[in-house]
Amino acid sequence: MTYQPQLAPLGSLWLSSLIALLPLLAIFITLGGLRWKAHWAGLTALATAIVVAVAAYKMPFGLALLSASEGAVFGLFPIAWIVFTAIVLYQVTVASGRFEDLRQVFALISDDPRVQAMVIAFCFGGLMEALAGFGAPVAITGVMVMATGFSALRAAVIVLVANTAPVAFGAIATPIITAGTLTKIPYAEIGAYVGHQTPVLAVFVPLILVFIADGVRGMKEIWPVALGTGLVFAVAQWAAATYLSVELTDIIASLLGLLAAVVILRLWRPKGGSAATERMHQVREAELASMTEEQRAAVTETPALQKRSLTGGQIFMALFPYLLVIAAFAVTKLIKPVSKWLASTDIKIKWPGLDGHVLTLAGTPNSSTVYNFQWLSSPGTTLLICMIIVALVYRVNAKDTWKEFSGTLVKLRWTFLTIASVLGLAYVMNLSGQTITIGTWIAGTGAAFAFFSPTLGWLGTAVTGSDTSANALFATLQQTAATKAGIDPHLLVAANTSGGVVGKMISPQNLAIAATAVGLHGRESDILRKCLPWSVGLLIVLCLLIGLQSTPVLAWMLP
């Protein structure tokens, strides 16, 4: 039994595209409109994709189910594995008592909760995105922002919106490397183009975070440090991507952004911090009062910070887990002999019953049916090793470590189901031909496609929760569409990557991670409605920017 997808199975490309969009509409309607829980929305969209694949695309039912199973397994490992180990690492620091010292470190930078939230979500979150990605920054920083006094809902929105500009270069530039591998364009060249797009957003993201934290009043009182941090981050991201290293871009940008915030706050002190703290607490109390007793019990506990001085040794130990993570990823990703050896341990599994039975539009075997089991080279495994080392250094005994391990496993069970269902959806849509139909339809706009090209990356990341997956879905399509329309392929492949950064904040996967981290499981739809306007607004800015970069108006911005 061999299946070859058709570009327009219903005879008309636009009609086929509308039918192919049904799974995506299902997930947005159920999650955003009907307020279903994320795992039910994901399962409904997956079922819709299977129906469309079988009924409209004539894909054998067995192959559709096998496609979903491979996607679900990929969602659990490595993606859910990375999220799980990142959260366990954080939980071990909490169990050790050292997390309080880390909170004190951020309090040393500023006692203003709005500044702390910006620094944690944008700079520290950017560093976590650079190293691990795949939802880990949202999982870790969500609780940390809550600890500064914010309500669970507002903390979730802040960390999701903050997780934008760093995403393209996240997980040691995995999205860009993936795009380069698929398109055969040197990934450093793609990264340089992305480095001339996402920094435009990065300048304004800290200002947006301050607005979410405390409205117009907060922006008036905090804008110098927010703008300064954003500008330094943006310039560093541009310079690193263009001249230094795509893999190190976010690490450099995040650390220099943090340094800029520290320097500015040494020279200038924001006003209104005490009043802002009181307003944060009032919002938090109001949120708790509106919940049921069961909902209040689920909200992550973040005790008030008791300010005290720290010694140099305490500061180092508080930062130790994250310094260890930086060192570990530097060794495993940037030292070529180590990274090659780790990659050599990967196990390629030809998915039973699927591999060799699904073809591409061109009639060649689809390589997506080979599952790569990265048991040792996965960032999640690196994080697990870091967690064990941290537990030993912090003297957290085996019983308490296992308690955090098993407790996190139970806590994340619905998140795992959401991730598995969404990746299953992506694989069914990809292997059945639904994604290529939608992409080709959109690409039919010709030269004007440059203005819409980021939408594909936005859509792909919104559905899969991964800019890497969005590039896997659409990078080659962007390259083909650009060639047909007479546009620089580098620009549109980069546009796909950049578009994904503003789609991640509304992906069911990331919404579920954020909701779980702050204790709002089941209220993903509330978080979505808060994030959606920012996602769409930033997408429009990006579409205009890239569209104009394809013309003489802004072509001078490109490498």
Coordinates of all heavy atoms in Angstrom, one line a residue, residues 4 20 34 39 59 80 190-191 254 398 406 409 435 479 514 537:
Q4 N 0.5 8.5 -2.5 CA 1.2 9.7 -3.0 C 0.2 10.9 -3.0 O -0.9 10.8 -3.6 CB 1.6 9.6 -4.5 CG 2.3 10.8 -5.0 CD 2.9 10.6 -6.4 OE1 2.8 9.4 -6.9 NE2 3.4 11.6 -7.0
A20 N -8.4 21.7 3.7 CA -7.2 21.4 4.4 C -7.0 22.3 5.6 O -6.3 21.9 6.6 CB -5.9 21.6 3.5
L34 N -14.5 28.2 22.1 CA -15.3 27.3 23.0 C -14.6 27.1 24.3 O -15.2 26.5 25.2 CB -15.5 26.0 22.3 CG -16.3 26.0 20.9 CD1 -16.4 24.6 20.4 CD2 -17.6 26.7 21.1
H39 N -5.7 19.9 25.6 CA -5.6 18.5 25.1 C -6.8 18.0 24.4 O -6.7 17.3 23.4 CB -5.2 17.5 26.3 CG -6.3 17.5 27.4 ND1 -6.3 18.3 28.4 CD2 -7.3 16.6 27.6 CE1 -7.2 18.0 29.2 NE2 -7.9 17.0 28.7
M59 N -6.1 9.3 1.6 CA -5.0 8.6 2.3 C -5.6 7.4 3.0 O -6.6 7.5 3.7 CB -4.3 9.5 3.3 CG -3.1 9.0 3.9 SD -2.3 10.1 5.1 CE -0.6 9.5 5.2
A80 N 8.6 16.8 24.5 CA 8.1 16.8 25.9 C 9.2 16.4 26.9 O 9.2 16.9 28.0 CB 6.9 15.8 26.0
I190 N 21.1 32.0 6.1 CA 19.7 32.2 6.5 C 19.7 32.9 7.8 O 18.9 33.8 8.1 CB 19.0 30.8 6.7 CG1 18.9 30.1 5.3 CG2 17.6 31.0 7.2 CD1 18.4 28.7 5.4
G191 N 20.6 32.6 8.7 CA 20.6 33.2 10.1 C 20.9 34.7 9.9 O 20.4 35.5 10.7
S254 N 21.2 37.8 24.9 CA 20.6 37.7 26.2 C 21.5 38.2 27.3 O 21.1 39.0 28.2 CB 20.1 36.3 26.6 OG 19.2 35.9 25.6
A398 N 18.2 11.4 47.2 CA 17.6 10.6 46.1 C 16.1 10.6 46.3 O 15.3 10.7 45.3 CB 18.2 9.2 46.1
S406 N 8.8 12.4 39.9 CA 7.5 11.7 39.7 C 6.4 12.7 39.8 O 5.4 12.6 39.1 CB 7.3 10.6 40.8 OG 7.5 11.1 42.1
L409 N 6.1 14.5 36.6 CA 5.5 13.6 35.6 C 4.0 13.6 35.7 O 3.3 13.7 34.6 CB 6.1 12.2 35.8 CG 5.8 11.2 34.7 CD1 6.4 11.6 33.4 CD2 6.3 9.8 35.1
T435 N -0.6 20.4 4.2 CA 0.2 21.6 4.4 C 0.7 22.1 3.1 O 0.8 23.3 2.9 CB 1.4 21.3 5.3 OG1 2.1 20.1 4.8 CG2 0.9 21.0 6.7
Q479 N 11.1 28.4 -0.3 CA 12.2 28.5 -1.3 C 11.6 28.4 -2.7 O 12.0 29.2 -3.6 CB 13.2 27.4 -1.0 CG 14.4 27.4 -1.9 CD 15.3 26.2 -1.7 OE1 14.8 25.1 -1.4 NE2 16.6 26.4 -1.9
A514 N 2.7 26.9 29.8 CA 2.6 28.1 30.6 C 1.5 27.9 31.7 O 1.7 28.2 32.8 CB 2.2 29.3 29.8
G537 N -0.7 41.4 16.1 CA -0.1 42.7 15.8 C 1.4 42.7 15.4 O 1.8 43.3 14.5

